[in-house]
Amino acid sequence: MPHWKRNLYTLWLGLFLNYMAYTLSVPFFPLFLQNELGVQSGLEVWSGISISISFLISGLCAPFWGSLADRHGSKLMLLRSGAGLAAAHLANAFVHGPYSFLAVRIFQGLMAGFHPASVTLVGTNTPEKHVGYAMGVISTSTAAGGILGPLAGGVISQWVGLRGCFVASGILTLVSAMIVMGVRENQAKRVSVRTGWIADLKTAAATPGLMRTYGLILLVSTSVMVLEPLLTLYVVSIGGNPDTATLSAGIVFSAVGVATVIMGPRWGRLGGRLGYDKTLMIGLVGGGIGNLLQVLAFNLYVFGGVRFAYGLFFAAVYPTLNAMVVRHAALEFRGRAVSLSQSANQFGIVLGPLVGGFIGGSAGIPVVFLLTGIALLAAAWMVRKSAVTPQKLEQDNSGTVAGAGHSSNH
């Protein structure tokens, strides 16, 4: 087996366990705050802050970790993040107040970076013609982890309690770090000087297509997370049982994850054949129409079916965007480029629930679906208007920055 495929499968397993460990405990944050930490008033606020603060810190720190990845290698960043996140999960099991819990969540944001380091290592160590396929495969790891994590967490919490979920998350994360020790990273040219995030942004702005891709990542992650505070309420509004609304919403959410596991690798292959812009446009159009159709769902089964169909198309978006970042960025800038994309993604995760809560509360949940659908369709139109043709890409690659990016073809 080629070493790039061995790396891909090893990183898939490590990232799957890492994300499963996260989703094993995070859905139970409100219950943990209420039952274990004694938060009775302002529970929703505490829950929102405890989730968002980690993503905010992670987004701010991502360029720094990306810079270290370019200087010292992505494998070292994987081990650093895996060990740090394992320590954070285990520390959550021993907190006894909301402020100490918040402090651990901040530390968890500081230690984040397992996913971007995995994407960088895959992109840097995979032959150019297989990058689309590899990105599609790696995208299914988080989707699969997101499906199994909450289910495993529900079982473990009934068995050993909520604190036991954090212990299980820590053990799984540590195992994920041990697994990726088997990854073989090519000894590519390292960046000898340390750069700041302003310099990295300037480099990204000077790289054709990169800032446009970051803008799309921010829009897409916001559109996904905008429904986070609303989905359970919407399930109840279309006839779901209030007593089982959380379970029903979890099943509906998992429908998108199942669709991603099914279609992620296929879209990755199509991206290499059709071109990334065309594949991205198809995914955005399907996602936009899927959001618009969710407004028309008249019961829970139809809503779940529409969400699954939406996921089949939307599965094209994230691996294609990751592949575009890898393709546009020069080899010595790739770690920082992927980390900047992670920052855009994290800021969307923070922004989405705030926007969704505000619009849903003032104008109604159906309006959120409508606006999200329109935004994704508008993004598809922008991709079509600014599509990078093969001739244009070849011209861009004749320059110094883009030309260095092609040296990743091993």
Side-chain angles (χ1 to χ4, degrees):
M1 183 186 296
H3 83 269
W4 70 266
K5 269 195 174 180
R6 195 158 47 245
N7 282 348
L8 177 61
Y9 297 147
T10 302
L11 287 168
W12 190 98
L13 182 58
L15 195 54
F16 163 73
L17 291 175
N18 191 277
Y19 199 73
M20 180 180 173
Y22 171 72
T23 57
L24 189 146
S25 54
V26 72
F28 309 109
F29 278 10
L31 291 176
F32 183 72
L33 284 162
Q34 185 177 48
N35 299 336
E36 299 287 338
L37 304 186
V39 176
Q40 301 300 325
S41 61
L43 180 61
E44 295 83 358
V45 175
W46 275 104
S47 299
I49 292 174
S50 64
I51 292 174
S52 296
I53 191 67
S54 182
F55 288 111
L56 179 62
I57 298 298
S58 173
L60 293 173
C61 293
F64 171 73
W65 295 127
S67 177
L68 288 183
D70 283 333
R71 292 166 59 205
H72 304 293
S74 297
K75 183 176 178 178
L76 183 62
M77 292 301 102
L78 280 170
L79 298 176
R80 184 270 315 164
S81 180
L85 290 174
H89 285 307
L90 290 172
N92 280 326
F94 299 98
V95 299
H96 291 283
Y99 290 103
S100 56
F101 181 59
L102 202 60
V104 174
R105 289 291 293 158
I106 292 172
F107 174 73
Q108 193 164 344
L110 290 171
M111 291 295 103
F114 200 90
H115 182 269
S118 299
V119 171
T120 302
L121 205 152
V122 168
T124 306
N125 291 262
T126 301
E128 192 76 23
K129 63 181 179 180
H130 297 300
V131 166
Y133 165 75
M135 291 302 170
V137 169
I138 205 70
S139 72
T140 66
S141 61
T142 54
I147 295 168
L148 294 181
L151 298 177
V155 173
I156 292 173
S157 65
Q158 294 295 314
W159 181 33
V160 294
L162 294 174
R163 293 185 185 272
C165 285
F166 290 119
V167 174
S169 293
I171 294 172
L172 279 176
T173 305
L174 193 58
V175 171
S176 74
M178 295 172 65
I179 286 172
V180 299
M181 289 179 69
V183 169
R184 193 175 110 199
E185 185 174 13
N186 290 331
Q187 297 301 311
K189 178 184 176 182
R190 304 290 186 208
V191 177
S192 58
V193 294
R194 181 173 176 176
T195 59
W197 66 271
I198 295 178
D200 292 341
L201 282 174
K202 288 180 179 179
T203 303
T207 305
L210 207 49
M211 294 303 289
R212 179 196 70 156
T213 306
Y214 291 156
L216 288 170
I217 291 171
L218 177 62
L219 172 64
V220 167
S221 63
T222 302
S223 76
V224 171
M225 295 303 296
V226 77
L227 299 173
E228 185 76 12
L230 307 173
L231 197 63
T232 304
L233 299 175
Y234 193 69
V235 165
V236 174
S237 72
I238 59 175
N241 187 338
D243 295 331
T244 60
T246 303
L247 177 61
S248 300
I251 294 172
V252 169
F253 252 126
S254 69
V256 178
V258 172
T260 301
V261 171
I262 294 172
M263 286 300 296
R266 291 171 174 81
W267 283 120
R269 285 195 183 95
L270 284 172
R273 297 209 310 257
L274 295 177
Y276 295 128
D277 285 298
K278 286 184 180 179
T279 306
L280 179 61
M281 190 173 65
I282 293 170
L284 290 171
V285 169
I289 294 174
N291 269 285
L292 296 176
L293 290 178
Q294 287 175 70
V295 180
L296 305 177
F298 53 86
N299 64 42
L300 192 58
Y301 299 104
V302 174
F303 184 58
V306 173
R307 291 284 295 175
F308 180 76
Y310 153 86
L312 291 175
F313 284 93
F314 205 71
V317 174
Y318 276 117
T320 303
L321 288 171
N322 286 333
M324 290 172 71
V325 171
V326 169
R327 191 181 188 191
H328 287 309
L331 179 59
E332 64 271 15
F333 182 61
R334 210 160 270 183
R336 286 165 287 163
V338 172
S339 292
L340 286 173
S341 73
Q342 180 74 357
S343 292
N345 182 58
Q346 302 287 52
F347 293 148
I349 291 173
V350 174
L351 184 63
L354 299 176
V355 173
F358 176 76
I359 298 177
S362 58
I365 298 176
V367 175
V368 178
F369 286 116
L370 287 172
L371 293 178
T372 304
I374 292 170
L376 291 176
L377 291 174
W381 180 81
M382 290 172 60
V383 169
R384 183 177 181 275
K385 295 291 288 184
S386 59
V388 179
T389 64
Q391 293 80 10
K392 184 176 184 297
L393 185 62
E394 192 64 33
Q395 292 172 1
D396 292 338
N397 286 337
S398 64
T400 304
V401 174
H406 270 263
S407 63
S408 65
N409 194 351
H410 301 293

